[in-house]
Amino acid sequence: MSSSLFVKGMKQIFPVAAAGIVDGLVFGILARQAGLGVTEAMLFSLLVNAGSSQFAAVGLISQGIVGWPILVSTLLLNARHLLYGLSLGPKFRGTSPWKLALMGGWLNDETYALKATYLANGAKPSLSYFAGASAADYLIWNISTFAGAWFGTVFTQTEAYGLDFAFVATFLGFLAVNLVSSFHVKVAGCAAVVACAGYALGGATVAIIAGTLTAVAIGAVSGER
């Protein structure tokens, strides 16, 4: 493993991961308000490592909903990670399964955005670079969750501080830096319209799935990239 590329990955993910500090704090706070302990909140971030599904699960728990609805919503929300893996996987043919499994466990929205951009700029696939980026992102997310969970009983109204918008703002940032052509703008616009319709019909989970599938379908049938 190249130490220089590992460090490079850590440095380049830091602006994105640092923007997620507020997300981790808010998640920790909401987890405590939903009745979870510090250990339970930490296990969410340590084992799931997917912000959107964690927020969805905590939202359901806070409403007294447990069991299969949480499992189904998490499965549907995280289905997009399969697309991330299918996008990056062909670049690593010949890599041992255990390394791919480790990469998959650390693959989320933030790390995929960086890794896809890294490869799109012509860089060679590098496990060292990806490991550095993923390790830094994972560490920051879990430290932020711990801090939020530890002080979670102090803050009772996250909306009053605008903290509930932090997660949305992070994804808007990802979108903005990837709108590099008119085709990307068109895909984003179509996905947004379908997602809004999905939200009106079935809520946030339907919105995310519908918007994601729309973008994937357009990319699959179009010759543009």
Side-chain angles (χ1 to χ4, degrees), residues 26 36 59 106 166-167 202 213:
V26 172
L36 300 180
W106 274 353
F167 196 67
L213 292 178

Side-chain angles (χ1 to χ4, degrees), residues 8 15 35 67 81-82 85 101 109 120 145 148 153 161 171 183 185 187 192 214:
K8 181 179 179 180
H81 291 198
L82 293 174
D109 301 297
T145 296
T153 56
Y161 302 95
F171 280 95
F183 175 68
V185 174
V187 173
T214 298

Side-chain angles (χ1 to χ4, degrees), residues 13-29:
I13 195 64
F14 185 77
V16 177
I21 289 176
V22 177
D23 297 336
L25 289 171
V26 172
F27 172 73
I29 292 170

